[in-house]
Amino acid sequence: MAEVIIVRNEEEAGEIYGRCVADLIKAKPDAVLGLATGSSPLAAYRALAKIVHEEHIDVSKVRGFALDEYLGLPLTHPESYHSTIHRTVVEPLGLDPEKVHVPGDVLNGAPLEDGDKIAAAGPAYDAAIEAAGGIDVQILGIGTDGHIGFNEPGSSLASGTRVKTLAEQTRIDNARFFDNDINQVPTHCITQGIGTVLKARHLVLLAFGSGKAEAIEETVEGGVSAFCPASALQLHPHATIIIDEEAASRLRHKDYYRYAFAHKPAWQGI
Ligand SMILES: N[C@@H]1[C@@H](O)[C@H](O)[C@@H](COP(=O)(O)O)O[C@@H]1O
């Protein structure tokens, strides 16, 4: 069972993540952070940046690996995850851009037809994560269909980084970043696999709002199933799920989660 923490709002969730990662970097200056795009982690990145600046934490050695990237977008496209990660994480935190990697970096807009290049990029990315000693803390959002990274329903729970076809629901959800025009949303992506995600030492999944309530119910209290990729977190020995009341609204055991967190010894951290 993952630990479920129910918070008042995104800021409170962000502070919990920020404190956890700031302490990690103090103890391990070359920590490896797993990074995610989407709106859910933004308050967490802001909270971490605030602590880093206030406490003068040296982040020059911190390394990062993002979860996923669209296929076919040049790195310079404002909605490429390369651009997004640099804008929302690398710059505000003051990380060394050379130490932060996004799965599509080597592809830089290569077309889907460029099979050899694209097929090699996934295993090379997993090898790079391994060579870095593995990810210490992986932050995750969740799609309304339960996807993590871009692992859509049906993804193998043992998958490594590879190319996937985006679900239509995901393209609809993400059209807001592309002038609300679904035709501009790429059809394919390269994403860390669920097996890759499960290798990180600590997973922190954030979800807010009623739109995520069903996906959170399936993730936390449903069976482990490829049809809700986030349910794979139930297999991880150290997963923390931080959600607001709306995202928690369908959980049956809310009272227990609240009770357990309120009575947790401080030394355990998250
Ligand atoms: N690939 C990303 C996911 O990593 C993210 O979790 C999801 C939810 O985004 P949001 O947090 O904006 O709801 O969006 C995209 O599909």
Side-chain angles (χ1 to χ4, degrees):
M1 238 292 295
E3 173 173 42
V4 177
I5 305 175
I6 302 171
V7 293
R8 280 186 301 275
N9 50 40
E10 299 186 29
E11 282 64 40
E12 195 182 339
E15 280 161 24
I16 295 173
Y17 168 86
R19 177 42 60 200
C20 162
V21 173
D23 288 348
L24 167 73
I25 299 171
K26 282 182 189 171
K28 181 182 178 188
D30 64 345
V32 182
L33 305 184
L35 303 168
T37 57
S39 51
S40 307
L42 294 177
Y45 297 143
R46 280 197 298 273
L48 177 59
K50 186 162 178 273
I51 300 174
V52 161
H53 295 132
E54 279 175 4
E55 300 182 11
H56 307 290
I57 301 172
D58 178 10
V59 295
S60 62
K61 296 193 182 68
V62 170
R63 295 162 293 166
F65 287 90
L67 278 175
D68 47 8
E69 177 62 286
Y70 292 112
L71 271 190
L73 289 188
L75 300 184
T76 52
H77 189 291
E79 294 307 330
S80 77
Y81 283 176
H82 176 91
S83 298
T84 306
I85 288 290
H86 281 255
R87 192 168 58 235
T88 59
V89 186
V90 175
E91 287 163 21
L93 255 72
L95 301 184
D96 176 354
E98 297 287 314
K99 294 189 167 66
V100 178
H101 311 280
V102 181
D105 282 352
V106 291
L107 300 176
N108 194 9
L112 192 57
E113 292 68 36
D114 200 344
D116 290 347
K117 199 172 175 191
I118 293 177
Y125 197 70
D126 285 338
I129 293 175
E130 214 149 298
I135 289 170
D136 290 302
V137 180
Q138 174 68 59
I139 193 169
L140 296 165
I142 184 170
T144 53
D145 59 5
H147 73 244
I148 48 173
F150 268 139
N151 293 281
E152 299 287 17
S155 295
S156 158
L157 300 184
S159 46
T161 302
R162 74 235 180 277
V163 169
K164 290 290 287 180
T165 311
L166 294 175
E168 194 180 10
Q169 184 60 52
T170 301
R171 295 181 65 231
I172 293 169
D173 288 347
N174 290 1
R176 66 188 195 279
F177 300 113
F178 294 86
D179 307 326
N180 287 313
D181 176 8
I182 189 173
N183 297 314
Q184 290 183 41
V185 185
T187 52
H188 291 75
C189 64
I190 177 166
T191 179
Q192 281 190 32
I194 300 174
T196 314
V197 170
L198 290 177
K199 283 186 190 154
R201 284 183 273 282
H202 183 192
L203 304 178
V204 179
L205 185 144
L206 305 171
F208 310 104
S210 54
K212 301 290 172 73
E214 228 169 291
I216 287 297
E217 180 187 23
E218 276 190 64
T219 297
V220 178
E221 297 181 346
V224 175
S225 161
F227 287 89
C228 177
S231 67
L233 267 67
Q234 294 179 32
L235 300 170
H236 196 280
H238 190 185
T240 309
I241 297 180
I242 313 179
I243 52 183
D244 66 2
E245 292 288 347
E246 289 181 324
S249 59
R250 294 173 64 106
L251 294 177
R252 272 174 297 155
H253 297 290
K254 255 186 293 194
D255 291 346
Y256 173 70
Y257 308 139
R258 262 192 262 272
Y259 178 86
F261 185 61
H263 292 84
K264 194 175 180 182
W267 55 264
Q268 278 187 325
I270 62 162

